[in-house]
Amino acid sequence: MIKPYLKLTKPGIIGGNLVAAVGGVLLASQGNINWLLLLAVCVGTTLIVASGCVFNNVIDIDIDKLMKRTCERELVKKVVPVSHALMWASALCLAGFFILYQYTSLVAFQFGVLGFVVYVGFYSLYFKRKSVYGTLIGGLSGACPPVIGYCAVTGQFDTGAAVLFITFCLWQIPHSYAIAIYRFEDYKSASIPVLPVEIGIARARYHIIGYIIAFAMAALTLTYLGYAGSWYALGMGLVSLHWLYIAKVGYQKVPDTQWGKKMLLSSIFNIMVFCTLISLDFSSESLDENYQVNALPAVIMEPHS
């Protein structure tokens, strides 16, 4: 009976957010990894993201019924009662926030709250259904996990955290548009006002190209400011050019839905490379020498009063 409840948490989304959170921790740690802190970030972020996904499932029951991709979900098929799903989401939420607050930093906890409130309160309840800008709002939420990881280590929102936040916001938009193009008929059937449906795929493509260029520039800023090394810059330059090539040239070679799928896969590959490289090719030139990595063992021994 646990399997339907696990499916409600959308494990694929959890996995992507977890990779981003770990990348943020490792970038800020600069090789001096506090493994218990890393574990707390992983568990806390996983539980919060899982909670948000379950709440999203509850909110989107009516929409999910109309989409081929989602019409077999557990709440649509009434495999899990809505009341049970709400209790499950609440338990996950409370546990996740408790872990972030108790065992990481206040700033990391605050970004956990921000991501959750934006995703559940603003995006799922209103903007996804009512506004073409829903993707932009959702992007704010999707950019929080790497910042949670980073700020759990530094205890502050500095320039590196700001660059991470902006980079992930910019990545979220072409990624989400690619999903909408790949699943165009689903979004159209459910009357979800995403940009490719509202203005057409051909015009949305120019927005995608612009956001990919902006993403590449933001990502390379980490090297310019001294947070990441030259191998990181080379890797991100190459994968961004490949993503841009598919957006610019690949569009002319395949049907729209197939192009959308290629764009989606390319966006996932791009962000995985990003998270891997910031974890491995970091540079401490611009990190504030005055901050101290959170001493998690001491926090565990002396929890918040």
Side-chain angles (χ1 to χ4, degrees):
M1 286 298 293
I2 190 64
K3 187 176 180 180
Y5 289 87
L6 293 178
K7 285 185 176 180
L8 286 176
T9 65
K10 302 181 183 179
I13 292 178
I14 290 175
N17 282 279
L18 188 57
V19 169
V22 170
V25 170
L26 297 182
L27 175 64
S29 297
Q30 301 290 294
N32 183 27
I33 304 169
N34 184 326
W35 295 102
L36 291 176
L37 180 62
L38 177 61
L39 178 62
V41 169
C42 289
V43 175
T45 303
T46 293
L47 293 173
I48 292 170
V49 172
S51 173
C53 288
V54 177
F55 277 118
N56 177 262
N57 266 307
V58 173
I59 294 167
D60 281 356
I61 293 176
D62 59 329
I63 293 176
D64 287 344
K65 291 177 182 178
L66 305 174
M67 301 172 69
K68 183 179 179 181
R69 177 174 61 94
T70 58
C71 64
E72 296 294 325
R73 283 181 172 170
E74 284 67 28
L75 292 179
V76 175
K77 303 298 288 185
K78 298 183 179 179
V79 176
V80 176
V82 172
S83 59
H84 290 187
L86 288 172
M87 288 188 289
W88 173 227
S90 300
L92 291 169
C93 177
L94 292 173
F97 282 125
F98 173 81
I99 290 172
L100 284 190
Y101 181 77
Q102 198 80 348
Y103 303 124
T104 64
S105 72
L106 180 59
V107 182
F109 170 79
Q110 290 170 338
F111 270 93
V113 173
L114 174 66
F116 182 85
V117 170
V118 170
Y119 181 68
V120 176
F122 290 93
Y123 173 72
S124 297
L125 284 173
Y126 182 79
F127 283 95
K128 179 178 179 178
R129 298 163 178 263
K130 301 294 184 180
S131 174
V132 73
Y133 299 109
T135 304
L136 302 177
I137 301 299
L140 298 176
S141 174
C144 287
V147 181
I148 291 171
Y150 185 96
C151 293
V153 176
T154 65
Q156 61 187 15
F157 184 77
D158 59 15
T159 304
V163 172
L164 276 181
F165 187 78
I166 293 169
T167 301
F168 269 80
C169 281
L170 292 170
W171 170 82
Q172 289 276 346
I173 299 169
H175 171 73
S176 298
Y177 288 168
I179 296 173
I181 293 168
Y182 177 43
R183 301 290 186 179
F184 186 86
E185 293 302 324
D186 272 353
Y187 280 80
K188 188 176 180 180
S189 298
S191 299
I192 300 175
V194 288
L195 194 74
V197 173
E198 292 296 300
I199 70 170
I201 295 173
R203 288 178 60 191
R205 173 171 160 265
Y206 291 104
H207 290 257
I208 290 172
I209 290 172
Y211 279 112
I212 291 174
I213 294 172
F215 163 79
M217 294 174 64
L220 293 174
T221 301
L222 284 176
T223 295
Y224 177 77
L225 295 176
Y227 288 91
S230 56
W231 286 109
Y232 161 85
L234 176 62
M236 286 311 302
L238 290 174
V239 296
S240 296
L241 284 173
H242 176 259
W243 195 12
L244 187 61
Y245 173 83
I246 294 175
K248 178 68 176 175
V249 180
Y251 175 76
Q252 303 165 355
K253 298 182 177 181
V254 295
D256 289 345
T257 54
Q258 189 176 342
W259 176 71
K261 184 177 181 179
K262 290 181 68 175
M263 285 295 297
L264 172 61
L265 294 175
S266 181
S267 70
I268 294 171
F269 176 73
N270 198 295
I271 205 65
M272 289 298 107
V273 170
F274 176 83
C275 292
T276 300
L277 290 176
I278 62 172
S279 301
L280 299 176
D281 189 28
F282 45 76
S283 172
S284 59
E285 293 178 15
S286 291
L287 285 178
D288 185 354
E289 295 179 357
N290 294 322
Y291 87 72
Q292 296 181 351
V293 174
N294 287 333
L296 183 62
V299 175
I300 292 177
M301 294 300 293
E302 299 178 12
H304 293 287
S305 59

